[in-house]
Amino acid sequence: MRNTFRQVFHSPRFVTGFVIFIFLLVTLIVYPLVSPGDPLEMIGLGSFFKPGTYISVLDAAGTPAQTLKLPDAADKRLSSMLSESDRVSMLRWLTAVGVPESEIDLQDTSSLLKLWRENYDAKARPKGMTMSDRRFYQRLDEQLESAGSAEALTLMRQDEAGENQEVGRVSGTDYVNVKDVANVRTLPLGTDNFGRDTLKELVSAMGTSIRIGLIAGSIATCIGLLLGLLSGYLGGFVDDLIMFFMNIFTVIPSFVILILITYSIGQAYRGADTVAIVIGLTSWVWTGRSVRSQVISLRNRDHVNLSRLSGHSLMRIILTDILPYIASYVVMAFILQISSGILAEAQLSLLGLGPRTTEVPTLGLMMNWAMLYSAHINGAWWAYFPVILVITLITFSLNLMNTGLDQVFNPTLRD
Amino acid sequence: MKGYRRYFRKKIFWFLITLAASILLNFILPRLMPGDPVAAITARVAMGMNDASAVRRIYEEYARQFGTDKPMLQQFVMYLQNLLKGDFGLSFSQYPRPVADIISSAVGWTIGLQLPAIIVGWMLGNLLGALAAYIRKGFDRVVMPVSLFVSNIPAFGMAVILLVIFALRLKVAPISGAYAYDMIPNLSWAFVRSVFRHYQLPFWSIVLTAIGGQAIGMRSMSIYELNADYVKYSRFLGVPDRKIVGYVFRNAMLPQVTGLVLSIGTMIGGALVAEIIFSYPGLGSALLTGITRLDYPLISASTLIVTLMVLVVTFVLDVIYAFIDPRVKAAQFD
């Protein structure tokens, strides 16, 4: 036994898969400790906030400021104010007054502004510009001037009489330390369509999905093992009967049965565990078939015959003479069942037959909502890509462990 | 040919049995719903409807289809009769379009997409796997981990990734549908080109997900065969390498065909979900419409047709298998 473990942990594939899986599990346990809170809490009003750090504007204004004189502050301020369409408009003016297009770099704000200041003239009338175009450029120029000078902002507070009272001033050189601001929230993966913290939800969803995989995998493996053992060892009528069902259910796609059952259960009764149980009940056939063929090859081995001749009970023969020989196989099948269970949940959820949304997040549900709100078309990669990555990593690590085990137990496959 | 008769008779027998079982399941499972299934379905459909007579009509239509007032056996006979006539009832989401009409327009797209994709994926996967087993070092080191990783990206994930890269970023492919939305299906050159352009992303997303798993299976089988005694013996005899490789791959292919038979259902299930991402007008999208719009007749018909497709493909593969596996042939001539 110890030797087997040593061999298993010397297989590079198994170890890689194991490390990835343990990493995911550790994240699952540690992250909620670092960042506690309800993963389904809708913190953002609006959907798909970008990943990043959010600082309370009110608190930042109220925090005592320090003065920092940074040379490029004005330029940065301008470049964040200049929208893409403004830049294109500037380009249009500049080319109209005769600046060669090759000299203009739209992304380099300081050189663009320099060119603008040199070439813009409110009185000029370039060819092809209408009156309203020129008005537009005047406004744009005024905007640029005022932004560049970085005037101070006055903070007002409305008292009971409804009159504004000045409470402070913010100038262009005022800075506050992020650590001093009372309310700062980092959303490493932004928010989803409901305004929920995506990372927190993802970690929690990963937990639920792994649990679904474990429940479905355990049920499928237990049923498959039991039926496989019975059918393989007993043979005869029992074998025929079980094989009859196995033959039917290998051909009828379990996915279809899954759809029919989950639909029939109805939304109200469809919790994560129910879905897991249904997945388990529909996916035992693979395990059953392979256990059966393994048992058949073991059935007439000498040690089994010896046990039988010694009058050992059926239970004992199965437990001591057959199970140990197929244990490695069953473990491998179990690992595969977990990953296919997780996938099955994701696919069901994408069809709208996943667990109820309000209770727990699952990877499939996250994917489903991201797709329903067209996260991929809105460019909100954080809402779907991490989900795909996590599903892939889970199944990848499980399959790596499986092939690693396969190489240990089937020496012919070794490199 | 005569020797195959027993084999085929057995296969046809099993085909009919599984067909009967799947029809039975399709009939029974929704009827196992707790309470009155018709009331339950109507309640779901009627959610948010305040026109009492419309709700009543829906209830009556379901009651007619289910025939819940009659005994179970008679219901089943009715169900079979409707099935034979190709009558799946009327769709509720696209009332009064018959479900058979929706399904028949969807089936073509699904078959046209999935069959070639799965076959191409299977072939490419086997080729890669065989190469990896034969060349080993280097190629094997790179191809195997990569295809293992790629094969674990779920089909819908691959679909989204391809969609974002090629349709949204590079803008070289359309975002959704099977042909340009302003076109009416016809046999013009422009339409065919549009279909072809829309075909690429769904096709490759299915192919890419199919390749990995097949490559891994083929690699294991080939390595297993390459280490077999007959290979060593042939080497000692001085049989040319090319010939040995031919034997090995032929033997390694057989379990791969069986593997395809066993996994075709799972593959089609995954590909149906990938269809949804591209809003490809196939059975996957029909199923989604049925589920989201609570259109029970559409769901029931879609699942039945998907099952039927899998059954037929499996049967065809079984027939092909009989001709390429010498053991089946030998068993027939004993």
Side-chain angles (χ1 to χ4, degrees):
Chain A
M1 198 65 179
R2 256 179 68 196
N3 191 36
T4 317
F5 273 111
R6 199 179 304 139
Q7 261 186 324
V8 164
F9 278 95
H10 272 129
S11 151
R13 292 219 171 141
F14 181 85
V15 173
T16 319
F18 190 72
V19 168
I20 297 176
F21 196 69
I22 291 298
F23 169 75
L24 292 175
L25 284 185
V26 168
T27 318
L28 193 61
I29 296 164
V30 172
Y31 189 75
L33 299 179
V34 179
S35 162
D38 177 13
L40 288 183
E41 196 186 349
M42 298 183 196
I43 50 174
L45 283 181
S47 49
F48 299 135
F49 292 172
K50 268 191 250 174
T53 302
Y54 288 79
I55 298 173
S56 154
V57 178
L58 187 73
D59 291 343
T63 311
Q66 268 89 27
T67 306
L68 286 180
K69 291 207 179 294
L70 302 178
D72 53 350
D75 275 356
K76 276 190 180 167
R77 200 167 288 137
L78 267 176
S79 76
S80 84
M81 276 175 60
L82 266 184
S83 68
E84 205 56 38
S85 64
D86 284 345
R87 284 167 202 262
V88 176
S89 314
M90 284 163 82
L91 173 81
R92 190 165 152 242
W93 174 278
L94 291 173
T95 45
V97 296
V99 181
E101 205 168 334
S102 55
E103 275 179 29
I104 306 170
D105 180 2
L106 276 187
Q107 297 316 316
D108 183 356
T109 315
S110 60
S111 78
L112 186 68
L113 281 173
K114 197 162 152 265
L115 276 174
W116 177 256
R117 287 190 194 112
E118 281 163 10
N119 291 290
Y120 180 72
D121 177 9
K123 294 184 196 78
R125 295 187 169 199
K127 241 170 66 181
M129 293 250 177
T130 61
M131 186 72 179
S132 69
D133 282 341
R134 287 206 303 278
R135 278 278 154 74
F136 168 78
Y137 282 107
Q138 271 171 20
R139 278 200 303 275
L140 183 66
D141 189 53
E142 276 161 23
Q143 253 179 24
L144 289 175
E145 283 305 313
S146 66
S149 64
E151 295 166 59
L153 291 176
T154 313
L155 299 173
M156 306 285 237
R157 172 174 289 145
Q158 219 166 39
D159 59 14
E160 290 106 31
E163 275 176 45
N164 288 335
Q165 284 185 332
E166 186 182 318
V167 287
R169 270 169 181 279
V170 182
S171 82
T173 51
D174 279 358
Y175 288 82
V176 293
N177 192 327
V178 176
K179 283 180 190 149
D180 295 340
V181 180
N183 284 302
V184 175
R185 177 68 180 267
T186 306
L187 299 171
L189 289 177
T191 67
D192 70 355
N193 55 299
F194 294 118
R196 306 188 287 212
D197 181 344
T198 313
L199 182 62
K200 199 179 275 182
E201 197 189 350
L202 184 70
V203 172
S204 160
M206 187 166 80
T208 322
S209 283
I210 290 180
R211 197 179 80 214
I212 291 178
L214 283 175
I215 294 177
S218 315
I219 293 177
T221 309
C222 285
I223 300 179
L225 184 62
L226 187 72
L227 291 182
L229 281 172
L230 283 180
S231 147
Y233 187 77
L234 292 179
F237 174 71
V238 179
D239 186 26
D240 286 344
L241 188 73
I242 294 176
M243 262 323 268
F244 179 78
F245 284 106
M246 280 191 191
N247 277 337
I248 289 176
F249 286 106
T250 26
V251 187
I252 298 177
S254 59
F255 192 57
V256 165
I257 303 177
L258 206 52
I259 289 174
L260 285 176
I261 296 182
T262 41
Y263 181 78
S264 304
I265 290 174
Q267 179 93 32
Y269 301 96
R270 219 158 48 210
D273 291 345
T274 323
V275 171
I277 291 170
V278 176
I279 294 174
L281 289 179
T282 53
S283 56
W284 52 268
V285 186
W286 277 87
T287 313
R289 268 188 108 91
S290 26
V291 166
R292 173 179 174 271
S293 58
Q294 299 270 328
V295 173
I296 286 179
S297 74
L298 279 170
R299 189 170 56 187
N300 287 322
R301 294 266 186 90
D302 288 343
H303 72 281
V304 181
N305 282 332
L306 198 64
S307 275
R308 208 178 295 142
L309 286 177
S310 321
H312 288 160
S313 69
L314 177 71
M315 271 312 271
R316 183 158 168 199
I317 295 177
I318 285 181
L319 283 180
T320 60
D321 296 325
I322 291 189
L323 264 186
Y325 289 83
I326 57 170
S328 66
Y329 199 85
V330 173
V331 170
M332 280 167 10
F334 177 58
I335 290 178
L336 286 186
Q337 292 280 15
I338 296 176
S339 74
S340 66
I342 291 172
L343 257 186
E345 185 275 329
Q347 289 180 343
L348 271 186
S349 296
L350 273 175
L351 277 173
L353 288 175
R356 252 167 315 166
T357 326
T358 45
E359 267 171 23
V360 282
T362 69
L363 293 172
L365 286 174
M366 284 184 77
M367 192 71 201
N368 186 27
W369 283 115
M371 289 298 109
L372 281 180
Y373 279 76
S374 308
H376 54 307
I377 293 167
N378 295 327
W381 57 266
W382 56 90
Y384 61 88
F385 188 71
V387 182
I388 299 175
L389 190 68
V390 167
I391 295 180
T392 312
L393 277 182
I394 295 176
T395 48
F396 179 59
S397 63
L398 290 172
N399 276 329
L400 267 185
M401 283 196 255
N402 184 59
T403 41
L405 288 177
D406 208 14
Q407 281 177 345
V408 171
F409 295 115
N410 290 337
T412 43
L413 293 177
R414 263 179 233 166
D415 294 316
Chain B
M1 200 59 212
K2 208 171 150 196
Y4 285 113
R5 196 171 285 161
R6 211 178 69 211
Y7 178 84
F8 287 140
R9 208 179 293 145
K10 207 174 112 199
K11 288 294 169 195
I12 290 173
F13 169 75
W14 274 108
F15 176 77
L16 293 177
I17 294 270
T18 39
L19 183 66
S22 49
I23 291 174
L24 201 64
L25 278 176
N26 230 34
F27 170 80
I28 284 183
L29 283 177
R31 283 174 175 74
L32 290 181
M33 248 187 270
D36 176 7
V38 182
I41 293 174
T42 319
R44 282 186 225 167
V45 179
M47 224 185 296
M49 280 171 87
N50 33 27
D51 182 358
S53 69
V55 175
R56 221 187 125 71
R57 259 212 318 280
I58 292 172
Y59 185 90
E60 277 161 6
E61 172 67 20
Y62 274 121
R64 184 189 71 80
Q65 264 181 36
F66 273 71
T68 30
D69 44 340
K70 303 186 183 79
M72 208 62 153
L73 197 67
Q74 205 180 334
Q75 282 181 45
F76 188 60
V77 172
M78 233 173 73
Y79 176 82
L80 281 185
Q81 277 170 349
N82 285 340
L83 215 60
L84 281 179
K85 279 184 280 180
D87 175 14
F88 294 104
L90 298 179
S91 159
F92 283 102
S93 55
Q94 302 170 39
Y95 196 83
R97 199 174 165 201
V99 170
D101 187 35
I102 302 177
I103 295 288
S104 61
S105 68
V107 164
W109 291 112
T110 291
I111 293 178
L113 175 66
Q114 297 201 4
L115 209 59
I118 289 178
I119 291 174
V120 169
W122 184 79
M123 283 179 168
L124 284 180
N126 280 323
L127 200 67
L128 271 182
L131 279 178
Y134 187 61
I135 302 177
R136 299 304 291 270
K137 307 292 167 225
F139 191 66
D140 193 20
R141 283 276 137 85
V142 182
V143 169
M144 274 309 111
V146 170
S147 52
L148 196 59
F149 187 77
V150 171
S151 72
N152 280 302
I153 301 178
F156 61 83
M158 185 64 87
V160 176
I161 292 171
L162 289 188
L163 180 66
V164 169
I165 294 178
F166 291 101
L168 295 169
R169 281 284 144 79
L170 302 177
K171 297 195 192 327
V172 290
I175 295 175
S176 68
Y179 47 86
Y181 58 88
D182 53 356
M183 279 185 171
I184 297 163
N186 55 33
L187 261 180
S188 74
W189 188 231
F191 180 73
V192 172
R193 207 163 45 219
S194 171
V195 167
F196 183 74
R197 269 168 55 77
H198 284 76
Y199 190 71
Q200 298 307 314
L201 288 187
F203 177 77
W204 288 108
S205 69
I206 298 172
V207 169
L208 282 178
T209 37
I211 283 181
Q214 298 299 331
I216 295 158
M218 185 61 181
R219 174 181 168 274
S220 313
M221 277 329 295
S222 303
I223 291 177
Y224 182 80
E225 291 288 332
L226 279 169
N227 290 332
D229 287 342
Y230 73 89
V231 174
K232 287 178 190 145
Y233 185 62
S234 317
R235 287 235 163 91
F236 287 139
L237 286 181
V239 176
D241 219 33
R242 288 187 67 90
K243 199 152 193 173
I244 298 179
V245 170
Y247 288 141
V248 165
F249 290 145
R250 181 160 180 185
N251 282 343
M253 280 307 273
L254 291 174
Q256 285 298 99
V257 177
T258 321
L260 185 64
V261 174
L262 291 177
S263 62
I264 197 96
T266 322
M267 281 166 115
I268 289 183
L272 282 179
V273 178
E275 260 182 22
I276 292 171
I277 305 286
F278 294 104
S279 316
Y280 208 77
L283 284 173
S285 303
L287 205 51
L288 181 71
T289 321
I291 291 166
T292 47
R293 307 244 197 110
L294 303 161
D295 187 346
Y296 178 74
L298 187 55
I299 299 174
S300 169
S302 310
T303 48
L304 192 65
I305 294 294
V306 170
T307 317
L308 202 66
M309 266 165 52
V310 175
L311 288 188
V312 170
V313 172
T314 313
F315 181 72
V316 170
L317 282 174
D318 274 337
V319 171
I320 294 175
Y321 189 77
F323 288 103
I324 57 174
D325 187 356
R327 278 167 299 185
V328 177
K329 213 188 288 177
Q332 310 312 322
F333 288 110
D334 275 346

